[in-house]
Amino acid sequence: MKFTKMQGLGNDYVYVNCLKEQVENPPEMARRVSDRHFGIGSDGLILIRPSDSADFEMEMYNADGSRSEMCGNGIRCVAKYVYDYGLTDKTSISVETLGGIKYLDLTVEDGKVSMVKVDMGKPELRAEAIPIVCERGTEECVVDEDSLLGDEAVSEYMVETNCKKVIDEPIVVDGMEYQITGVSMGNPHAVVFLEDVKGMDIEKLGPRFENHERFPKRINTEFVRVIDRETIEMRVWERGSGETLACGTGACAAAVASILNGLAERKVTVKLLGGDLLVEWEEETGNVYMTGPAVTVFEGVIEEGA
């Protein structure tokens, strides 16, 4: 089976062109290829398939073999793969995911894709849809002066969704109280603002959040420090993969959470361990746009039974 190793800001996956190749047991293959000692080494496995509703389909598995809805860094690499390997000649494509159809604009330099802008769609804030068990119970949102956050469009969005939301809400993890903001970008995220993200023990705290009882489908957790109103830094613990160097959906969730909490402007540079992403929550459409690089690392062949 032929494969391609690709990465977006160090968030690396093994890609298989399933227009030509067949993967019999994707969860087991994901665990096998992701092993950094006995496998190829990756944060997971992404299968590129044909789609009836978009140009291509992205089928994604985490390093532990669990299926994931969406990956922002992963989908940028899908765009690079299908263009660079001649599966399309279009510089604007659509990709079907479990988190919905995403639309991507490709920047091509010397015949190869270097940067990709992804329309990530509208963020989902309804607690039951993320899903997050809401600490405040079943009451509907109440939009008052404290909910305005200095942003009229955000407030209108809250009113329109008429939802139970989790914004700056307390959670007790390992005996300590934290404040979380819940956002889905096609997959679930809990954003936690801290004064120090570099010195935190993410190997201890990350799994505690991921498997907390308030997250019935587990959670991706972003630990965020606000540098200024246009810049935030972030570390991420990804559900099923552990800490990764970058998470595109997580960067979008962190930017949205920063805006919802009145801490940032609508266009934010998100600094991750693997590099920077530019995220914009557009006021007019309500959609989130993410721009970043995509890189091919190497190609190879997995022999049957190896």
Side-chain angles (χ1 to χ4, degrees):
M1 183 186 76
K2 294 181 179 179
F3 72 88
T4 302
K5 172 78 173 284
M6 305 182 79
Q7 58 91 4
L9 299 183
N11 193 193
D12 58 341
Y13 291 90
V14 171
Y15 292 76
V16 178
N17 177 3
C18 288
L19 282 70
K20 294 183 177 180
E21 304 285 345
Q22 187 171 357
V23 179
E24 297 293 342
N25 188 338
E28 175 57 33
M29 182 61 71
R31 291 188 288 269
R32 178 181 169 193
V33 301
S34 298
D35 192 300
R36 296 191 183 275
H37 299 287
F38 298 100
I40 297 166
S42 68
D43 292 324
L45 171 70
I46 292 179
L47 309 180
I48 301 172
R49 297 189 182 278
S51 171
D52 293 330
S53 56
D55 293 316
F56 301 95
E57 179 187 0
M58 178 179 84
E59 185 177 318
M60 177 191 168
Y61 295 86
N62 296 314
D64 67 355
S66 59
R67 183 80 184 269
S68 186
E69 300 92 343
M70 172 57 187
C71 173
N73 292 313
I75 201 170
R76 293 201 314 276
C77 291
V78 168
K80 178 175 176 62
Y81 186 103
V82 297
Y83 186 91
D84 288 4
Y85 285 89
L87 302 183
T88 185
D89 59 0
K90 300 193 296 185
T91 56
S92 293
I93 65 169
S94 58
V95 177
E96 178 187 356
T97 75
L98 281 183
I101 296 177
K102 308 301 178 185
Y103 300 90
L104 301 86
D105 293 322
L106 289 55
T107 298
V108 179
E109 297 179 356
D110 299 324
K112 302 287 185 182
V113 172
S114 59
M115 299 285 287
V116 180
K117 180 179 181 180
V118 186
D119 180 350
M120 301 289 286
K122 293 179 174 62
E124 175 63 79
L125 301 180
R126 293 176 299 158
E128 65 270 25
I130 295 175
I132 297 177
V133 177
C134 190
E135 185 72 13
R136 293 170 182 158
T138 58
E139 74 275 12
E140 295 293 339
C141 293
V142 177
V143 180
D144 54 22
E145 291 184 4
D146 292 333
S147 301
L148 294 178
L149 304 176
D151 192 319
E152 183 178 347
V154 170
S155 299
E156 290 177 357
Y157 181 76
M158 290 178 181
V159 173
E160 288 171 4
T161 54
N162 191 30
C163 64
K164 298 182 293 292
K165 62 188 184 297
V166 177
I167 297 177
D168 195 33
E169 185 168 297
I171 186 172
V172 176
V173 178
D174 243 10
M176 294 284 293
E177 184 175 292
Y178 299 87
Q179 303 295 122
I180 59 169
T181 295
V183 181
S184 173
M185 295 303 309
N187 56 352
H189 295 271
V191 180
V192 182
F193 294 99
L194 300 175
E195 293 185 2
D196 176 24
V197 296
K198 292 179 180 177
M200 64 169 296
D201 188 353
I202 197 169
E203 294 291 334
K204 177 183 178 181
L205 196 56
R208 300 289 198 276
F209 270 91
E210 178 183 352
N211 298 291
H212 195 281
E213 61 185 5
R214 288 186 60 191
F215 309 125
K217 293 187 177 180
R218 299 189 292 165
I219 202 79
N220 302 288
T221 310
E222 287 71 45
F223 301 98
V224 176
R225 182 176 78 92
V226 177
I227 297 174
D228 56 46
R229 293 191 62 81
E230 296 179 344
T231 315
I232 62 176
E233 68 172 339
M234 176 187 110
R235 289 176 70 182
V236 58
W237 184 268
E238 290 201 55
R239 177 187 58 170
S241 293
E243 183 177 23
T244 60
L245 295 179
C247 176
T249 56
C252 294
V256 168
S258 298
I259 295 164
L260 287 173
N261 284 280
L263 302 173
E265 304 299 331
R266 283 188 166 269
K267 184 179 288 188
V268 181
T269 296
V270 183
K271 306 182 80 65
L272 305 108
L273 294 180
D276 296 351
L277 287 172
L278 180 64
V279 179
E280 181 178 5
W281 189 8
E282 190 177 83
E283 184 171 352
E284 185 176 346
T285 65
N287 287 14
V288 176
Y289 295 87
M290 173 196 63
T291 304
V295 177
T296 298
V297 183
F298 61 83
E299 302 171 339
V301 176
I302 301 174
E303 295 187 5
E304 189 173 342

